[in-house]
Amino acid sequence: MNVRTPDPYPGWLSEEDLYEARQRLPMVYVEAVPVRCDPLGYVTEVGLLLQATPEGQMVRSFVSGRVMYRETIRAALLRNLEKDLGPMALPQLPPTLVPFAVAEYFPSPSQSGLTDERQHAVALAYLIPVTGECDPRQDALELSWLTPDEALSPAIYAEFSGGRGDLLRQALASAGWGR
């Protein structure tokens, strides 16, 4: 059973072509950690997606998706935020799109600490304030809003796969959390 959100731009690459490309090229992604902020801009909540792996394991994750051919980073962020959080999430993209991290995923353990068994991928990672109502799509079972302390707790940290817990630490550190 396929629980992936349908691609709103079909025809980009077939599943077979995507598999072949992933075997030969690093893929470019954007990742967004949705957050709620207080009036001063301090992070009060972190939105974490709960998803099931093909093996049935429950894992925490972020908004994530490929950057399509001829698509800007800004457009890719908005498209993937809407795809994963719904059209009423109302993300607030910053005027300059400098990521808090450039995450490099490898199909096997490496010095980066990030893994994605499907591919070698480079992801530009952003902390994105969200002000609207979020309705996670098909591939996410729920979106949990947690305080930064809850999100970094050992129990939640253990639910991340592929080293994404460390990426969450970097995201919150970039916002001044945990000083």
Side-chain angles (χ1 to χ4, degrees):
M1 177 173 98
N2 188 353
V3 294
R4 290 181 51 195
T5 302
D7 188 345
Y9 305 100
W12 183 63
L13 283 177
S14 69
E15 289 297 320
E16 296 80 24
D17 290 342
L18 179 59
Y19 175 82
E20 290 298 320
R22 283 178 166 157
Q23 302 309 303
R24 293 178 172 80
L25 304 166
M27 303 300 287
V28 179
Y29 279 75
V30 290
E31 289 192 304
V33 180
V35 295
R36 302 251 192 229
C37 297
D38 68 13
L40 294 175
Y42 293 111
V43 173
T44 58
E45 294 180 304
V46 178
L48 300 178
L49 296 169
L50 184 65
Q51 300 175 316
T53 66
E55 297 80 29
Q57 180 185 8
M58 304 304 282
V59 296
R60 297 281 178 177
S61 192
F62 315 122
V63 170
S64 181
R66 290 188 313 271
V67 177
M68 299 172 84
Y69 180 69
R70 297 183 63 101
E71 182 178 44
T72 66
I73 299 299
R74 186 175 297 278
L77 273 168
L78 284 175
R79 179 177 55 80
N80 285 292
L81 284 158
E82 182 176 306
K83 175 182 66 80
D84 287 355
L85 302 180
M88 299 305 294
L90 304 177
Q92 305 297 305
L93 295 186
T96 60
L97 287 179
V98 177
F100 71 81
V102 176
E104 196 169 12
Y105 292 89
F106 290 94
S108 56
S110 71
Q111 63 272 21
S112 79
L114 299 169
T115 58
D116 182 336
E117 65 280 349
R118 303 169 301 166
Q119 64 196 335
H120 175 192
V122 176
L124 304 173
Y126 298 90
L127 198 67
I128 303 292
V130 174
T131 60
E133 292 297 318
C134 297
D135 182 26
R137 303 303 268 269
Q138 288 178 333
D139 49 350
L141 302 173
E142 71 177 32
L143 174 69
S144 303
W145 288 103
L146 306 171
T147 67
D149 283 332
E150 291 169 336
L152 294 174
S153 71
I156 298 297
Y157 187 84
E159 294 177 2
F160 284 101
S161 66
R164 286 175 181 84
D166 290 336
L167 202 54
L168 177 61
R169 283 189 200 285
Q170 289 178 35
L172 292 172
S174 76
W177 189 263
R179 289 184 188 180

